[in-house]
mmCIF file of all heavy atoms in Angstrom:
data_model
loop_
_atom_site.group_PDB
_atom_site.id
_atom_site.type_symbol
_atom_site.label_atom_id
_atom_site.label_comp_id
_atom_site.label_asym_id
_atom_site.label_seq_id
_atom_site.Cartn_x
_atom_site.Cartn_y
_atom_site.Cartn_z
ATOM 1 N N MET M 1 14.886 3.269 -12.544
ATOM 2 C CA MET M 1 13.421 3.283 -12.546
ATOM 3 C C MET M 1 12.929 3.923 -11.236
ATOM 4 O O MET M 1 13.346 3.547 -10.162
ATOM 5 C CB MET M 1 12.918 1.843 -12.656
ATOM 6 C CG MET M 1 11.405 1.766 -12.839
ATOM 7 S SD MET M 1 10.856 0.065 -12.957
ATOM 8 C CE MET M 1 11.444 -0.375 -14.587
ATOM 9 N N THR M 2 12.073 4.873 -11.374
ATOM 10 C CA THR M 2 11.558 5.527 -10.181
ATOM 11 C C THR M 2 10.274 4.845 -9.739
ATOM 12 O O THR M 2 9.241 4.979 -10.373
ATOM 13 C CB THR M 2 11.278 7.016 -10.460
ATOM 14 O OG1 THR M 2 10.419 7.105 -11.581
ATOM 15 C CG2 THR M 2 12.559 7.771 -10.728
ATOM 16 N N GLY M 3 10.407 4.130 -8.687
ATOM 17 C CA GLY M 3 9.246 3.410 -8.206
ATOM 18 C C GLY M 3 8.666 4.079 -6.989
ATOM 19 O O GLY M 3 9.362 4.748 -6.236
ATOM 20 N N LYS M 4 7.406 3.872 -6.825
ATOM 21 C CA LYS M 4 6.744 4.393 -5.646
ATOM 22 C C LYS M 4 6.351 3.252 -4.738
ATOM 23 O O LYS M 4 5.875 2.225 -5.203
ATOM 24 C CB LYS M 4 5.509 5.209 -6.025
ATOM 25 C CG LYS M 4 5.864 6.516 -6.690
ATOM 26 C CD LYS M 4 4.819 7.564 -6.391
ATOM 27 C CE LYS M 4 5.279 8.937 -6.861
ATOM 28 N NZ LYS M 4 4.335 9.986 -6.492
ATOM 29 N N ILE M 5 6.595 3.493 -3.483
ATOM 30 C CA ILE M 5 6.269 2.459 -2.509
ATOM 31 C C ILE M 5 4.952 2.824 -1.842
ATOM 32 O O ILE M 5 4.751 3.954 -1.426
ATOM 33 C CB ILE M 5 7.379 2.342 -1.457
ATOM 34 C CG1 ILE M 5 8.694 2.003 -2.149
ATOM 35 C CG2 ILE M 5 7.021 1.278 -0.432
ATOM 36 C CD1 ILE M 5 9.859 1.930 -1.182
ATOM 37 N N ILE M 6 4.088 1.878 -1.776
ATOM 38 C CA ILE M 6 2.803 2.127 -1.133
ATOM 39 C C ILE M 6 2.824 1.608 0.295
ATOM 40 O O ILE M 6 3.396 0.558 0.581
ATOM 41 C CB ILE M 6 1.645 1.491 -1.922
ATOM 42 C CG1 ILE M 6 1.846 -0.009 -2.108
ATOM 43 C CG2 ILE M 6 1.483 2.184 -3.263
ATOM 44 C CD1 ILE M 6 0.673 -0.674 -2.792
ATOM 45 N N HIS M 7 2.222 2.413 1.152
ATOM 46 C CA HIS M 7 2.168 2.063 2.563
ATOM 47 C C HIS M 7 0.721 2.005 3.011
ATOM 48 O O HIS M 7 -0.113 2.782 2.557
ATOM 49 C CB HIS M 7 2.896 3.121 3.404
ATOM 50 C CG HIS M 7 4.354 3.215 3.116
ATOM 51 N ND1 HIS M 7 5.304 2.595 3.888
ATOM 52 C CD2 HIS M 7 5.018 3.873 2.143
ATOM 53 C CE1 HIS M 7 6.496 2.869 3.395
ATOM 54 N NE2 HIS M 7 6.357 3.637 2.334
ATOM 55 N N CYS M 8 0.470 1.136 3.932
ATOM 56 C CA CYS M 8 -0.841 1.076 4.554
ATOM 57 C C CYS M 8 -1.044 2.332 5.400
ATOM 58 O O CYS M 8 -0.167 2.695 6.189
ATOM 59 C CB CYS M 8 -0.919 -0.171 5.423
ATOM 60 S SG CYS M 8 -2.410 -0.241 6.433
ATOM 61 N N PRO M 9 -2.149 3.034 5.239
ATOM 62 C CA PRO M 9 -2.406 4.247 6.018
ATOM 63 C C PRO M 9 -2.655 3.953 7.491
ATOM 64 O O PRO M 9 -2.615 4.862 8.313
ATOM 65 C CB PRO M 9 -3.649 4.838 5.351
ATOM 66 C CG PRO M 9 -4.332 3.682 4.720
ATOM 67 C CD PRO M 9 -3.238 2.739 4.306
ATOM 68 N N MET M 10 -2.902 2.727 7.792
ATOM 69 C CA MET M 10 -3.205 2.379 9.170
ATOM 70 C C MET M 10 -1.955 1.971 9.945
ATOM 71 O O MET M 10 -1.707 2.446 11.041
ATOM 72 C CB MET M 10 -4.229 1.238 9.200
ATOM 73 C CG MET M 10 -5.531 1.577 8.502
ATOM 74 S SD MET M 10 -6.377 3.008 9.211
ATOM 75 C CE MET M 10 -6.983 2.267 10.731
ATOM 76 N N CYS M 11 -1.172 1.081 9.364
ATOM 77 C CA CYS M 11 -0.029 0.547 10.108
ATOM 78 C C CYS M 11 1.299 0.818 9.403
ATOM 79 O O CYS M 11 2.341 0.410 9.882
ATOM 80 C CB CYS M 11 -0.201 -0.954 10.336
ATOM 81 S SG CYS M 11 -0.060 -1.951 8.843
ATOM 82 N N ARG M 12 1.230 1.524 8.264
ATOM 83 C CA ARG M 12 2.441 1.878 7.519
ATOM 84 C C ARG M 12 3.171 0.670 6.942
ATOM 85 O O ARG M 12 4.308 0.783 6.511
ATOM 86 C CB ARG M 12 3.429 2.689 8.397
ATOM 87 C CG ARG M 12 2.830 3.989 8.906
ATOM 88 C CD ARG M 12 2.493 4.895 7.747
ATOM 89 N NE ARG M 12 1.964 6.177 8.204
ATOM 90 C CZ ARG M 12 2.711 7.256 8.415
ATOM 91 N NH1 ARG M 12 3.996 7.217 8.191
ATOM 92 N NH2 ARG M 12 2.165 8.376 8.818
ATOM 93 N N SER M 13 2.550 -0.435 6.936
ATOM 94 C CA SER M 13 3.184 -1.611 6.363
ATOM 95 C C SER M 13 3.254 -1.486 4.842
ATOM 96 O O SER M 13 2.418 -0.842 4.214
ATOM 97 C CB SER M 13 2.390 -2.863 6.731
ATOM 98 O OG SER M 13 2.864 -3.980 5.994
ATOM 99 N N THR M 14 4.274 -2.070 4.274
ATOM 100 C CA THR M 14 4.388 -2.072 2.818
ATOM 101 C C THR M 14 3.910 -3.401 2.242
ATOM 102 O O THR M 14 4.032 -3.637 1.055
ATOM 103 C CB THR M 14 5.844 -1.838 2.391
ATOM 104 O OG1 THR M 14 6.682 -2.810 2.992
ATOM 105 C CG2 THR M 14 6.299 -0.446 2.808
ATOM 106 N N ASP M 15 3.383 -4.213 3.106
ATOM 107 C CA ASP M 15 2.905 -5.515 2.654
ATOM 108 C C ASP M 15 1.478 -5.361 2.136
ATOM 109 O O ASP M 15 0.515 -5.797 2.749
ATOM 110 C CB ASP M 15 2.966 -6.508 3.810
ATOM 111 C CG ASP M 15 2.901 -7.948 3.313
ATOM 112 O OD1 ASP M 15 2.739 -8.140 2.087
ATOM 113 O OD2 ASP M 15 3.014 -8.860 4.126
ATOM 114 N N ILE M 16 1.367 -4.688 1.004
ATOM 115 C CA ILE M 16 0.078 -4.372 0.415
ATOM 116 C C ILE M 16 -0.111 -5.161 -0.873
ATOM 117 O O ILE M 16 0.826 -5.376 -1.630
ATOM 118 C CB ILE M 16 -0.003 -2.865 0.079
ATOM 119 C CG1 ILE M 16 0.343 -2.020 1.305
ATOM 120 C CG2 ILE M 16 -1.370 -2.501 -0.472
ATOM 121 C CD1 ILE M 16 -0.656 -2.100 2.410
ATOM 122 N N TYR M 17 -1.314 -5.577 -1.084
ATOM 123 C CA TYR M 17 -1.601 -6.220 -2.359
ATOM 124 C C TYR M 17 -2.920 -5.705 -2.909
ATOM 125 O O TYR M 17 -3.737 -5.145 -2.186
ATOM 126 C CB TYR M 17 -1.617 -7.746 -2.225
ATOM 127 C CG TYR M 17 -2.761 -8.300 -1.404
ATOM 128 C CD1 TYR M 17 -3.916 -8.755 -2.033
ATOM 129 C CD2 TYR M 17 -2.678 -8.362 -0.023
ATOM 130 C CE1 TYR M 17 -4.967 -9.272 -1.290
ATOM 131 C CE2 TYR M 17 -3.729 -8.882 0.731
ATOM 132 C CZ TYR M 17 -4.865 -9.317 0.098
ATOM 133 O OH TYR M 17 -5.907 -9.818 0.833
ATOM 134 N N TRP M 18 -3.088 -5.880 -4.205
ATOM 135 C CA TRP M 18 -4.280 -5.394 -4.875
ATOM 136 C C TRP M 18 -5.344 -6.471 -4.943
ATOM 137 O O TRP M 18 -5.041 -7.643 -5.086
ATOM 138 C CB TRP M 18 -3.932 -5.003 -6.314
ATOM 139 C CG TRP M 18 -3.264 -3.702 -6.463
ATOM 140 C CD1 TRP M 18 -1.945 -3.452 -6.217
ATOM 141 C CD2 TRP M 18 -3.831 -2.470 -6.906
ATOM 142 N NE1 TRP M 18 -1.683 -2.139 -6.476
ATOM 143 C CE2 TRP M 18 -2.816 -1.509 -6.908
ATOM 144 C CE3 TRP M 18 -5.107 -2.096 -7.298
ATOM 145 C CZ2 TRP M 18 -3.040 -0.197 -7.294
ATOM 146 C CZ3 TRP M 18 -5.327 -0.792 -7.689
ATOM 147 C CH2 TRP M 18 -4.301 0.139 -7.679
ATOM 148 N N ASP M 19 -6.580 -6.005 -4.875
ATOM 149 C CA ASP M 19 -7.669 -6.904 -5.186
ATOM 150 C C ASP M 19 -8.018 -6.678 -6.645
ATOM 151 O O ASP M 19 -8.592 -5.663 -7.017
ATOM 152 C CB ASP M 19 -8.865 -6.590 -4.289
ATOM 153 C CG ASP M 19 -9.995 -7.585 -4.509
ATOM 154 O OD1 ASP M 19 -9.935 -8.335 -5.495
ATOM 155 O OD2 ASP M 19 -10.927 -7.598 -3.696
ATOM 156 N N ALA M 20 -7.636 -7.589 -7.489
ATOM 157 C CA ALA M 20 -7.787 -7.402 -8.931
ATOM 158 C C ALA M 20 -8.826 -8.349 -9.505
ATOM 159 O O ALA M 20 -8.678 -8.884 -10.588
ATOM 160 C CB ALA M 20 -6.442 -7.618 -9.614
ATOM 161 N N ARG M 21 -9.865 -8.513 -8.746
ATOM 162 C CA ARG M 21 -10.884 -9.453 -9.210
ATOM 163 C C ARG M 21 -11.816 -8.850 -10.237
ATOM 164 O O ARG M 21 -12.543 -9.540 -10.920
ATOM 165 C CB ARG M 21 -11.695 -9.957 -8.011
ATOM 166 C CG ARG M 21 -10.938 -10.991 -7.216
ATOM 167 C CD ARG M 21 -11.741 -11.434 -6.014
ATOM 168 N NE ARG M 21 -11.917 -10.338 -5.061
ATOM 169 C CZ ARG M 21 -12.564 -10.464 -3.907
ATOM 170 N NH1 ARG M 21 -13.093 -11.608 -3.578
ATOM 171 N NH2 ARG M 21 -12.670 -9.457 -3.091
ATOM 172 N N GLY M 22 -11.832 -7.506 -10.344
ATOM 173 C CA GLY M 22 -12.727 -6.870 -11.305
ATOM 174 C C GLY M 22 -12.064 -5.664 -11.943
ATOM 175 O O GLY M 22 -11.084 -5.140 -11.428
ATOM 176 N N PRO M 23 -12.578 -5.232 -13.064
ATOM 177 C CA PRO M 23 -12.004 -4.106 -13.805
ATOM 178 C C PRO M 23 -12.108 -2.800 -13.021
ATOM 179 O O PRO M 23 -11.335 -1.877 -13.259
ATOM 180 C CB PRO M 23 -12.824 -4.050 -15.095
ATOM 181 C CG PRO M 23 -14.115 -4.740 -14.765
ATOM 182 C CD PRO M 23 -13.756 -5.786 -13.732
ATOM 183 N N GLN M 24 -13.048 -2.709 -12.117
ATOM 184 C CA GLN M 24 -13.198 -1.481 -11.349
ATOM 185 C C GLN M 24 -12.744 -1.668 -9.913
ATOM 186 O O GLN M 24 -12.995 -0.847 -9.051
ATOM 187 C CB GLN M 24 -14.660 -1.022 -11.378
ATOM 188 C CG GLN M 24 -15.075 -0.576 -12.774
ATOM 189 C CD GLN M 24 -16.463 0.045 -12.758
ATOM 190 O OE1 GLN M 24 -17.208 -0.101 -11.805
ATOM 191 N NE2 GLN M 24 -16.799 0.770 -13.815
ATOM 192 N N SER M 25 -12.075 -2.739 -9.686
ATOM 193 C CA SER M 25 -11.619 -3.001 -8.332
ATOM 194 C C SER M 25 -10.299 -2.288 -8.088
ATOM 195 O O SER M 25 -9.282 -2.619 -8.676
ATOM 196 C CB SER M 25 -11.447 -4.507 -8.144
ATOM 197 O OG SER M 25 -11.032 -4.777 -6.837
ATOM 198 N N THR M 26 -10.342 -1.301 -7.247
ATOM 199 C CA THR M 26 -9.116 -0.547 -6.963
ATOM 200 C C THR M 26 -8.815 -0.580 -5.476
ATOM 201 O O THR M 26 -8.268 0.342 -4.926
ATOM 202 C CB THR M 26 -9.260 0.913 -7.434
ATOM 203 O OG1 THR M 26 -10.417 1.467 -6.821
ATOM 204 C CG2 THR M 26 -9.385 0.987 -8.931
ATOM 205 N N LEU M 27 -9.188 -1.646 -4.864
ATOM 206 C CA LEU M 27 -8.983 -1.730 -3.435
ATOM 207 C C LEU M 27 -7.617 -2.299 -3.095
ATOM 208 O O LEU M 27 -7.161 -3.253 -3.703
ATOM 209 C CB LEU M 27 -10.067 -2.599 -2.797
ATOM 210 C CG LEU M 27 -11.482 -2.013 -2.824
ATOM 211 C CD1 LEU M 27 -12.441 -2.973 -2.140
ATOM 212 C CD2 LEU M 27 -11.520 -0.669 -2.145
ATOM 213 N N HIS M 28 -7.017 -1.666 -2.125
ATOM 214 C CA HIS M 28 -5.759 -2.188 -1.598
ATOM 215 C C HIS M 28 -6.055 -2.978 -0.327
ATOM 216 O O HIS M 28 -6.940 -2.632 0.435
ATOM 217 C CB HIS M 28 -4.808 -1.039 -1.254
ATOM 218 C CG HIS M 28 -4.478 -0.179 -2.416
ATOM 219 N ND1 HIS M 28 -3.434 -0.458 -3.269
ATOM 220 C CD2 HIS M 28 -5.034 0.962 -2.872
ATOM 221 C CE1 HIS M 28 -3.368 0.480 -4.197
ATOM 222 N NE2 HIS M 28 -4.333 1.362 -3.986
ATOM 223 N N HIS M 29 -5.248 -3.968 -0.126
ATOM 224 C CA HIS M 29 -5.400 -4.764 1.077
ATOM 225 C C HIS M 29 -4.068 -4.855 1.804
ATOM 226 O O HIS M 29 -3.024 -4.998 1.180
ATOM 227 C CB HIS M 29 -5.888 -6.177 0.724
ATOM 228 C CG HIS M 29 -7.276 -6.208 0.163
ATOM 229 N ND1 HIS M 29 -8.380 -6.524 0.915
ATOM 230 C CD2 HIS M 29 -7.735 -5.936 -1.080
ATOM 231 C CE1 HIS M 29 -9.463 -6.465 0.149
ATOM 232 N NE2 HIS M 29 -9.099 -6.104 -1.062
ATOM 233 N N CYS M 30 -4.140 -4.739 3.083
ATOM 234 C CA CYS M 30 -2.946 -4.858 3.901
ATOM 235 C C CYS M 30 -2.936 -6.213 4.582
ATOM 236 O O CYS M 30 -3.901 -6.583 5.246
ATOM 237 C CB CYS M 30 -2.916 -3.741 4.945
ATOM 238 S SG CYS M 30 -1.557 -3.910 6.113
ATOM 239 N N ARG M 31 -1.832 -6.916 4.377
ATOM 240 C CA ARG M 31 -1.745 -8.241 4.986
ATOM 241 C C ARG M 31 -1.496 -8.150 6.482
ATOM 242 O O ARG M 31 -1.718 -9.086 7.225
ATOM 243 C CB ARG M 31 -0.610 -9.040 4.332
ATOM 244 C CG ARG M 31 -0.948 -9.542 2.946
ATOM 245 C CD ARG M 31 0.080 -10.560 2.501
ATOM 246 N NE ARG M 31 -0.272 -11.186 1.238
ATOM 247 C CZ ARG M 31 0.123 -10.747 0.056
ATOM 248 N NH1 ARG M 31 0.879 -9.688 -0.024
ATOM 249 N NH2 ARG M 31 -0.237 -11.362 -1.042
ATOM 250 N N LYS M 32 -0.985 -7.005 6.902
ATOM 251 C CA LYS M 32 -0.548 -6.904 8.284
ATOM 252 C C LYS M 32 -1.708 -6.609 9.240
ATOM 253 O O LYS M 32 -1.864 -7.269 10.245
ATOM 254 C CB LYS M 32 0.507 -5.805 8.405
ATOM 255 C CG LYS M 32 1.419 -5.992 9.592
ATOM 256 C CD LYS M 32 2.724 -5.238 9.392
ATOM 257 C CE LYS M 32 3.730 -5.632 10.474
ATOM 258 N NZ LYS M 32 5.028 -4.984 10.279
ATOM 259 N N CYS M 33 -2.494 -5.573 8.894
ATOM 260 C CA CYS M 33 -3.550 -5.180 9.812
ATOM 261 C C CYS M 33 -4.936 -5.474 9.263
ATOM 262 O O CYS M 33 -5.922 -5.306 9.950
ATOM 263 C CB CYS M 33 -3.424 -3.688 10.142
ATOM 264 S SG CYS M 33 -3.895 -2.588 8.802
ATOM 265 N N GLY M 34 -5.002 -5.910 8.011
ATOM 266 C CA GLY M 34 -6.277 -6.267 7.454
ATOM 267 C C GLY M 34 -7.023 -5.093 6.834
ATOM 268 O O GLY M 34 -8.179 -5.221 6.443
ATOM 269 N N TYR M 35 -6.354 -3.933 6.744
ATOM 270 C CA TYR M 35 -6.991 -2.774 6.142
ATOM 271 C C TYR M 35 -7.313 -3.041 4.687
ATOM 272 O O TYR M 35 -6.545 -3.683 3.974
ATOM 273 C CB TYR M 35 -6.063 -1.559 6.252
ATOM 274 C CG TYR M 35 -6.472 -0.402 5.367
ATOM 275 C CD1 TYR M 35 -7.444 0.503 5.791
ATOM 276 C CD2 TYR M 35 -5.886 -0.228 4.120
ATOM 277 C CE1 TYR M 35 -7.822 1.553 4.981
ATOM 278 C CE2 TYR M 35 -6.260 0.832 3.311
ATOM 279 C CZ TYR M 35 -7.227 1.722 3.736
ATOM 280 O OH TYR M 35 -7.603 2.759 2.932
ATOM 281 N N ASN M 36 -8.456 -2.534 4.241
ATOM 282 C CA ASN M 36 -8.731 -2.576 2.811
ATOM 283 C C ASN M 36 -9.515 -1.346 2.425
ATOM 284 O O ASN M 36 -10.439 -0.929 3.111
ATOM 285 C CB ASN M 36 -9.473 -3.847 2.424
ATOM 286 C CG ASN M 36 -10.834 -3.953 3.068
ATOM 287 O OD1 ASN M 36 -11.803 -3.372 2.577
ATOM 288 N ND2 ASN M 36 -10.934 -4.656 4.160
ATOM 289 N N GLY M 37 -9.115 -0.714 1.340
ATOM 290 C CA GLY M 37 -9.766 0.500 0.887
ATOM 291 C C GLY M 37 -9.027 1.091 -0.291
ATOM 292 O O GLY M 37 -7.952 0.635 -0.676
ATOM 293 N N ALA M 38 -9.622 2.121 -0.862
ATOM 294 C CA ALA M 38 -9.035 2.747 -2.034
ATOM 295 C C ALA M 38 -7.910 3.702 -1.641
ATOM 296 O O ALA M 38 -7.023 3.988 -2.432
ATOM 297 C CB ALA M 38 -10.103 3.500 -2.824
ATOM 298 N N PHE M 39 -7.952 4.195 -0.418
ATOM 299 C CA PHE M 39 -6.931 5.134 0.022
ATOM 300 C C PHE M 39 -5.678 4.401 0.469
ATOM 301 O O PHE M 39 -5.741 3.422 1.205
ATOM 302 C CB PHE M 39 -7.465 5.997 1.163
ATOM 303 C CG PHE M 39 -6.439 6.941 1.713
ATOM 304 C CD1 PHE M 39 -6.060 8.069 0.989
ATOM 305 C CD2 PHE M 39 -5.852 6.694 2.931
ATOM 306 C CE1 PHE M 39 -5.107 8.934 1.489
ATOM 307 C CE2 PHE M 39 -4.887 7.563 3.441
ATOM 308 C CZ PHE M 39 -4.518 8.683 2.726
ATOM 309 N N ILE M 40 -4.550 4.900 -0.036
ATOM 310 C CA ILE M 40 -3.280 4.279 0.326
ATOM 311 C C ILE M 40 -2.209 5.360 0.335
ATOM 312 O O ILE M 40 -2.327 6.376 -0.327
ATOM 313 C CB ILE M 40 -2.914 3.155 -0.685
ATOM 314 C CG1 ILE M 40 -1.990 2.120 -0.034
ATOM 315 C CG2 ILE M 40 -2.287 3.729 -1.936
ATOM 316 C CD1 ILE M 40 -2.727 1.193 0.909
ATOM 317 N N LEU M 41 -1.185 5.156 1.115
ATOM 318 C CA LEU M 41 -0.094 6.119 1.152
ATOM 319 C C LEU M 41 0.934 5.756 0.102
ATOM 320 O O LEU M 41 1.327 4.611 -0.035
ATOM 321 C CB LEU M 41 0.564 6.111 2.534
ATOM 322 C CG LEU M 41 -0.305 6.573 3.703
ATOM 323 C CD1 LEU M 41 0.481 6.442 5.000
ATOM 324 C CD2 LEU M 41 -0.735 8.013 3.512
ATOM 325 N N GLU M 42 1.364 6.785 -0.636
ATOM 326 C CA GLU M 42 2.407 6.557 -1.628
ATOM 327 C C GLU M 42 3.630 7.370 -1.258
ATOM 328 O O GLU M 42 3.541 8.547 -0.969
ATOM 329 C CB GLU M 42 1.913 6.988 -3.014
ATOM 330 C CG GLU M 42 1.109 5.924 -3.714
ATOM 331 C CD GLU M 42 0.838 6.311 -5.168
ATOM 332 O OE1 GLU M 42 1.630 7.069 -5.735
ATOM 333 O OE2 GLU M 42 -0.182 5.859 -5.699
ATOM 334 N N CYS M 43 4.765 6.723 -1.291
ATOM 335 C CA CYS M 43 6.006 7.403 -0.962
ATOM 336 C C CYS M 43 7.057 7.052 -2.010
ATOM 337 O O CYS M 43 7.055 5.966 -2.570
ATOM 338 C CB CYS M 43 6.504 6.986 0.412
ATOM 339 S SG CYS M 43 5.401 7.479 1.748
ATOM 340 N N ASP M 44 7.946 8.010 -2.252
ATOM 341 C CA ASP M 44 9.059 7.724 -3.144
ATOM 342 C C ASP M 44 10.040 6.805 -2.434
ATOM 343 O O ASP M 44 10.070 6.719 -1.222
ATOM 344 C CB ASP M 44 9.771 9.022 -3.541
ATOM 345 C CG ASP M 44 8.854 9.892 -4.372
ATOM 346 O OD1 ASP M 44 8.088 9.335 -5.174
ATOM 347 O OD2 ASP M 44 8.908 11.111 -4.208
ATOM 348 N N GLU M 45 10.849 6.171 -3.233
ATOM 349 C CA GLU M 45 11.812 5.238 -2.667
ATOM 350 C C GLU M 45 12.764 5.916 -1.693
ATOM 351 O O GLU M 45 13.273 5.301 -0.784
ATOM 352 C CB GLU M 45 12.618 4.587 -3.784
ATOM 353 C CG GLU M 45 11.825 3.497 -4.498
ATOM 354 C CD GLU M 45 12.708 2.754 -5.475
ATOM 355 O OE1 GLU M 45 13.517 1.942 -5.029
ATOM 356 O OE2 GLU M 45 12.599 3.004 -6.684
ATOM 357 N N GLU M 46 13.018 7.192 -1.953
ATOM 358 C CA GLU M 46 13.995 7.899 -1.141
ATOM 359 C C GLU M 46 13.440 8.257 0.229
ATOM 360 O O GLU M 46 14.184 8.654 1.110
ATOM 361 C CB GLU M 46 14.449 9.169 -1.852
ATOM 362 C CG GLU M 46 15.203 8.856 -3.136
ATOM 363 C CD GLU M 46 15.600 10.142 -3.844
ATOM 364 O OE1 GLU M 46 15.571 11.195 -3.196
ATOM 365 O OE2 GLU M 46 15.911 10.079 -5.033
ATOM 366 N N SER M 47 12.148 8.153 0.369
ATOM 367 C CA SER M 47 11.552 8.493 1.643
ATOM 368 C C SER M 47 12.090 7.590 2.744
ATOM 369 O O SER M 47 12.563 6.490 2.495
ATOM 370 C CB SER M 47 10.034 8.352 1.575
ATOM 371 O OG SER M 47 9.515 9.246 0.628
ATOM 372 N N GLU M 48 11.981 8.108 3.922
ATOM 373 C CA GLU M 48 12.509 7.352 5.055
ATOM 374 C C GLU M 48 11.819 6.006 5.171
ATOM 375 O O GLU M 48 10.605 5.897 5.097
ATOM 376 C CB GLU M 48 12.319 8.140 6.341
ATOM 377 C CG GLU M 48 10.861 8.515 6.582
ATOM 378 C CD GLU M 48 10.712 9.239 7.910
ATOM 379 O OE1 GLU M 48 11.416 8.872 8.844
ATOM 380 O OE2 GLU M 48 9.906 10.182 7.976
ATOM 381 N N VAL M 49 12.635 5.028 5.328
ATOM 382 C CA VAL M 49 12.102 3.682 5.453
ATOM 383 C C VAL M 49 12.716 3.038 6.691
ATOM 384 O O VAL M 49 13.923 2.983 6.838
ATOM 385 C CB VAL M 49 12.428 2.829 4.210
ATOM 386 C CG1 VAL M 49 11.925 1.405 4.423
ATOM 387 C CG2 VAL M 49 11.786 3.426 2.974
ATOM 388 N N HIS M 50 11.863 2.628 7.538
ATOM 389 C CA HIS M 50 12.347 1.973 8.748
ATOM 390 C C HIS M 50 11.970 0.498 8.688
ATOM 391 O O HIS M 50 10.805 0.148 8.785
ATOM 392 C CB HIS M 50 11.729 2.623 9.986
ATOM 393 C CG HIS M 50 12.096 4.073 10.126
ATOM 394 N ND1 HIS M 50 13.346 4.475 10.532
ATOM 395 C CD2 HIS M 50 11.397 5.193 9.898
ATOM 396 C CE1 HIS M 50 13.375 5.804 10.562
ATOM 397 N NE2 HIS M 50 12.199 6.262 10.170
ATOM 398 N N MET M 51 12.950 -0.276 8.525
ATOM 399 C CA MET M 51 12.717 -1.712 8.473
ATOM 400 C C MET M 51 13.262 -2.364 9.732
ATOM 401 O O MET M 51 14.454 -2.340 10.003
ATOM 402 C CB MET M 51 13.403 -2.315 7.232
ATOM 403 C CG MET M 51 12.895 -1.729 5.919
ATOM 404 S SD MET M 51 11.212 -2.234 5.527
ATOM 405 C CE MET M 51 11.539 -3.884 4.909
ATOM 406 N N GLY M 52 12.373 -2.956 10.468
ATOM 407 C CA GLY M 52 12.813 -3.633 11.684
ATOM 408 C C GLY M 52 13.415 -2.658 12.656
ATOM 409 O O GLY M 52 14.587 -2.685 12.903
HETATM 410 ZN ZN1 ZN N 1 -1.961 -2.165 7.588
#
């Protein structure tokens, strides 16, 4: 399965969750820096990932 990993555009964290409270709600939220917005970075799994 080819999955895409979403990153926070501000802090590059992958700890992102959706605000799914409404049918038109397309906001992403970052748990790390508190960013929220429709813009998000998408990367393929093969992209460089630096963990810790
Ligand atoms: Zn962030």
Side-chain angles (χ1 to χ4, degrees):
M1 187 180 287
T2 54
K4 290 210 171 184
I5 301 177
I6 57 176
H7 296 262
C8 172
M10 301 301 287
C11 69
R12 300 297 182 93
S13 170
T14 56
D15 198 356
I16 307 292
Y17 68 96
W18 282 78
D19 184 347
R21 283 178 294 181
Q24 292 187 345
S25 181
T26 55
L27 292 181
H28 300 273
H29 293 261
C30 174
R31 285 192 174 92
K32 204 158 190 177
C33 73
Y35 166 84
N36 63 82
F39 177 74
I40 205 76
L41 295 177
E42 276 189 26
C43 295
D44 294 323
E45 283 187 75
E46 295 178 17
S47 298
E48 56 177 323
V49 177
H50 298 286
M51 300 290 282

